[in-house]
Amino acid sequence: MDIESYRNYCISKPFVTEEFPFDVNTLVFKVMGKMFALTNVEAFASVNLKCDPEMAVELRETYPAVIPGYHMNKKHWNTVLMDGSLSDDQIKEWTDLSYQLVVDKLPKAEREKINQS
């Protein structure tokens, strides 16, 4: 997967925006203002994704390309290395899970707005 394919996948989700809040290279994807994925647009060597804490540990133990979230709360974030060892479908599935984790924590009115789209 390349950066354009990943970007297109993320922004196709309801109410997703993209920003560069940290620097000119770190692209952050948010749903209703809450971050669910970030990556370096120049290198696209990895993607940070929010994850359920138990699942985060399980993924790290199962996949060498999944490590604790770089510069993130390591309990809730994984860094997924884009080294070719994972399928595009697997990366999309984990991105979907990250997105849904964030949506599930939004206020009820915002969740309903997303679910109606």
Side-chain angles (χ1 to χ4, degrees):
M1 178 176 294
D2 60 36
I3 185 63
E4 279 303 313
S5 298
Y6 189 73
R7 178 187 170 272
N8 289 337
Y9 185 74
C10 288
I11 63 173
S12 72
K13 299 183 165 306
F15 294 93
V16 168
T17 58
E18 56 185 340
E19 303 175 13
F20 289 88
F22 305 117
D23 58 44
V24 297
N25 293 321
T26 306
L27 176 59
V28 176
F29 297 99
K30 296 181 176 183
V31 56
M32 299 297 243
K34 302 292 184 184
M35 183 168 49
F36 72 92
L38 66 151
T39 189
N40 181 301
V41 293
E42 292 299 317
F44 194 56
S46 65
V47 177
N48 281 10
L49 297 171
K50 195 165 184 83
C51 193
D52 170 79
E54 290 180 18
M55 184 179 180
V57 172
E58 181 181 320
L59 293 176
R60 293 173 200 159
E61 291 173 351
T62 305
Y63 300 94
V66 179
I67 59 176
Y70 181 71
H71 285 297
M72 305 296 283
N73 179 330
K74 290 163 182 24
K75 181 177 179 182
H76 298 279
W77 288 85
N78 277 339
T79 295
V80 179
L81 304 176
M82 305 300 276
D83 62 3
S85 66
L86 301 168
S87 70
D88 290 358
D89 287 341
Q90 188 68 68
I91 294 163
K92 288 178 181 179
E93 179 183 332
W94 293 339
T95 300
D96 292 345
L97 290 172
S98 180
Y99 174 87
Q100 194 60 52
L101 272 174
V102 173
V103 168
D104 289 347
K105 297 290 184 182
L106 292 171
K108 184 178 179 182
E110 290 181 350
R111 287 194 316 266
E112 289 175 351
K113 192 174 182 181
I114 290 169
N115 291 335
Q116 291 174 356
S117 62

